[in-house]
């Protein structure tokens, strides 16, 4: 199994990403994420892999990758369409610098899923996300 990591360009938070994807699913199913480059290790990715989304500078959520198919951009250039499970799974936030395209992510390097029955936020978790991000970028937390 192998994962991908990719920047979510546009949405400023997980709620905006979810809303965008729900609209895409409603108007043009199945849910897809497009990328110019085709992963060569697709057999490993569709064998239980996920795409981890970087939202506003942090890895925040993941989605199972169900398959891959060739599609075309509006200008007829080929692209890869990652077929996604619509369920967004929250993961432990991890700061990530911007990069282009996508990267492979080994399972042992992927952030853990957030437990659904979490205790109330304490300490640094109570800080607003923007402040947490700035403090992390300054290497203060």
């Amino acid at each position: 199994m192998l994962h991908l990591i990719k920047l979510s360009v546009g949405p400023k938070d997980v709620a905006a990403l979810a809303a965008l994807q729900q609209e895409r699913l409603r108007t043009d199913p199945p849910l897809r994420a497009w990328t110019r480059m085709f992963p060569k290790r697709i057999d490993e990715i569709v064998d239980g892999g996920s795409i981890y989304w970087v939202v506003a500078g942090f890895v925040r959520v993941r989605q199972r990758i169900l398959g891959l198919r060739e599609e075309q951009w509006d200008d007829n250039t080929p692209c890869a369409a990652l077929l996604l499970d619509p369920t967004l799974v929250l993961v432990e936030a991890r700061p990530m610098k911007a990069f282009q395209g996508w990267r492979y992510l080994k399972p042992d390097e992927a952030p853990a899923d957030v437990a659904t029955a979490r205790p109330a936020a304490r300490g640094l978790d109570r800080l607003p996300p923007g402040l947490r991000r700035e403090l992390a970028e300054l290497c203060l937390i």
Side-chain angles (χ1 to χ4, degrees):
M1 175 181 34
L2 189 62
H3 304 297
L4 296 179
I5 187 167
K6 185 169 175 37
L7 295 181
S8 172
V9 179
K12 302 297 182 200
D13 56 32
V14 174
L17 175 62
L20 174 73
Q21 288 190 352
Q22 287 303 311
E23 181 62 16
R24 284 184 183 164
L25 184 60
R26 186 183 69 75
T27 60
D28 188 22
L31 182 59
R32 303 177 310 278
W34 296 272
T35 182
R36 185 172 61 90
M37 301 301 294
F38 286 79
K40 291 183 176 26
R41 299 171 67 182
I42 193 62
D43 290 337
E44 293 172 82
I45 294 167
V46 297
D47 186 26
S50 293
I51 186 165
Y52 284 76
W53 290 107
V54 178
V55 181
F58 284 84
V59 180
R60 300 271 184 184
V61 293
R62 69 176 180 85
Q63 286 176 284
R64 287 279 318 269
I65 299 173
L66 305 175
L68 175 105
R69 68 184 189 197
E70 185 173 339
E71 292 191 3
Q72 293 181 345
W73 299 113
D74 292 338
D75 66 359
N76 292 325
T77 57
C79 65
L82 301 167
L83 305 176
L84 303 177
D85 182 321
T87 305
L88 290 170
V89 179
L90 293 174
V91 297
E92 293 178 356
R94 178 184 299 170
M96 177 68 63
K97 292 188 190 277
F99 58 91
Q100 290 187 344
W102 50 264
R103 304 284 184 266
Y104 290 117
L105 181 63
K106 296 177 187 173
D108 60 331
E109 296 173 355
D113 292 353
V114 172
T116 54
R118 289 177 70 162
R122 299 182 53 171
L124 294 176
D125 292 334
R126 294 186 71 185
L127 293 175
L131 179 57
R132 266 199 326 259
R133 181 177 54 252
E134 289 180 31
L135 290 171
E137 288 171 0
L138 294 169
C139 298
L140 297 174
I141 59 171

